[in-house]
Amino acid sequence: MVIVMDSEATPDHIDGIVDVVTTAGGTAYVTRGVSRTIIGLVGDVQQFETLDLRAMPGVSDVLRISVPYKLVSRENHVSRSVVRVGGVPIGGEHMTLIAGPCAVETPEQTLAAARMARSAGAALLRGGAYKPRTSPYAFQGLGEAGLRILADVRAETGLPIVTEVVDAGDVELVAGYADMLQIGTRNMQNFALLQAAGEAGKPVMLKRGMSATIEEWLMAAEYIAQRGNLDIVLCERGIRTFEKATRNTLDLSAVPVAQQLSHLPVIVDPSHSGGKRDLVLPLSRAAIAVGADGIIVDVHPTPETALCDGPQALVGEDLAELADAVRTLPALVGRTLA
Ligand code: E4P
Ligand code: PEP
């Protein structure tokens, strides 16, 4: 069950609901949005229905939500959300390009990649300081030193930063530098991390688990929302299938399906799905055409020396073609480049 508070609701009204629900043996999760507050109730729905919550001051509506991802569901939030990252919109009529190096390696490499990203039309800079690597011997990222490089590059270029956090214990530190926290495919069901990110006060990009259904992905997003944060962007980045020609199989159908089920913006990562430079452009075009709210793309000034995922990083002519695609294609589907 979800309680939608009206725009005039006061903190006392909200506390009043929480008290009544708690006294009835339930738990109330308060999520404060820009224009209204939503309270998700967990517990005995029959019992809640005896409480006459609709009559309590500040309550606009009481909804029984049938899906297991109540706060991120479109059932109680018909209009699609726009999430702002350092002032840059993701969602609505916008198509937002996020680009940057897979991993932060040096100040020079990160600045060069950020300039490439901006020249291609990116409004946000991506870059990992904490890298979730399959092999423990692979480059794991620079950690806080990488975050400091990102902050310097933001100061130099003005591009807000999207960066991954892989451990719940690091959320506070990473959130101190990041404009948006990224939770990667390998951590989509790391519930402690999701909850910590939900409390960090920064927008979160949640990548789809490589073997997760869309419903599992939305329930993972619900863990973040339940902790009070509805500034969540979903990212489809390809799933595991029997196909070996691509690194992952980009599930383009997940974009309209997730947009039908949830009010959250949905973006696509053509780099980690295709895994090869020559696939990034066609997959980016397809993502824009299918109605993605944004794309997140790897770029690198010298991909052949990259410490992570060089084969999928754009450079030179490929980047120029991406710039052309993001300049021209969004208008064909009623979007403008953010
Ligand atoms: C990059 O962003 C990821 O850390 C990388 O794709 C992980 O893959 P790998 O460690 O299997 O190379
Ligand atoms: C990334 O974008 O840096 C990343 C690790 O991606 P994914 O979690 O999709 O593999």
Side-chain angles (χ1 to χ4, degrees):
M1 187 173 269
V2 165
I3 300 181
V4 183
M5 303 304 287
D6 66 38
S7 53
E8 311 287 298
T10 65
D12 281 349
H13 293 157
I14 294 165
D15 289 347
I17 302 283
V18 174
D19 282 349
V20 167
V21 170
T22 312
T23 307
T27 309
Y29 292 95
V30 179
T31 301
R32 291 181 171 83
V34 179
S35 58
R36 62 183 183 162
T37 294
I38 296 172
I39 307 178
L41 307 192
V42 176
D44 182 350
V45 176
Q46 315 291 352
Q47 166 86 351
F48 296 149
E49 280 182 345
T50 66
L51 299 176
D52 206 8
L53 295 165
R54 206 178 293 271
M56 289 188 66
V59 172
S60 164
D61 210 352
V62 177
L63 305 159
R64 275 191 87 149
I65 306 285
S66 56
V67 289
Y69 43 87
K70 303 179 190 315
L71 299 169
V72 306
S73 161
R74 246 185 127 165
E75 275 188 31
N76 81 334
H77 196 301
V78 182
S79 64
R80 305 207 38 74
S81 291
V82 178
V83 172
R84 288 187 182 271
V85 181
V88 174
I90 306 179
E93 81 257 22
H94 312 282
M95 204 300 295
T96 307
L97 174 62
I98 306 168
C102 186
V104 174
E105 299 166 13
T106 65
E108 296 76 21
Q109 166 258 5
T110 308
L111 182 58
R115 289 189 170 137
M116 291 164 67
R118 199 175 50 187
S119 73
L124 297 169
L125 173 66
R126 64 145 292 147
Y130 294 84
K131 295 306 300 174
R133 302 307 301 271
T134 308
S135 164
Y137 300 108
F139 176 60
Q140 306 283 313
L142 298 179
E144 189 172 3
L147 297 174
R148 282 197 290 269
I149 293 173
L150 284 169
D152 289 346
V153 171
R154 172 177 52 201
E156 177 85 24
T157 62
L159 292 172
I161 301 163
V162 181
T163 195
E164 181 159 358
V165 57
V166 299
D167 188 308
D170 291 334
V171 166
E172 204 179 327
L173 173 75
V174 178
Y177 292 89
D179 297 288
M180 175 178 237
L181 298 173
Q182 174 174 327
I183 295 184
T185 191
R186 294 161 182 78
N187 270 315
M188 190 206 82
Q189 285 187 318
N190 180 338
F191 301 116
L193 177 61
L194 297 171
Q195 289 169 331
E199 289 168 359
K202 289 285 166 80
V204 180
M205 184 214 298
L206 178 63
K207 290 190 144 191
R208 179 179 179 187
M210 60 184 86
S211 302
T213 64
I214 295 170
E215 188 178 60
E216 287 164 344
W217 188 21
L218 296 177
M219 286 192 275
E222 188 77 6
Y223 270 90
I224 301 169
Q226 225 187 34
R227 294 294 165 130
N229 185 357
L230 268 178
D231 287 332
I232 306 164
V233 172
L234 300 168
C235 178
E236 161 61 38
R237 49 77 70 200
I239 51 174
R240 276 277 165 87
T241 68
F242 54 82
E243 183 52 67
K244 292 187 180 156
T246 50
R247 191 177 187 192
N248 294 283
T249 298
L250 179 57
D251 182 7
L252 277 177
S253 57
V255 175
V257 171
Q259 287 172 335
Q260 280 160 20
L261 296 174
S262 169
H263 57 89
L264 301 177
V266 184
I267 68 170
V268 165
D269 181 341
S271 305
H272 286 80
S273 40
K276 295 177 187 152
R277 187 167 307 117
D278 58 0
L279 294 176
V280 175
L281 192 63
L283 296 180
S284 299
R285 290 189 182 119
I288 296 169
V290 84
D293 296 295
I295 51 176
I296 177 166
V297 177
D298 286 5
V299 304
H300 197 291
T302 52
E304 61 288 355
T305 67
L307 297 180
C308 186
D309 288 349
Q312 69 195 30
L314 294 188
V315 64
E317 191 46 39
D318 293 317
L319 188 63
E321 282 195 51
L322 178 78
D324 193 44
V326 299
R327 213 176 30 247
T328 55
L329 297 185
L332 302 179
V333 288
R335 305 281 183 119
T336 49
L337 184 63

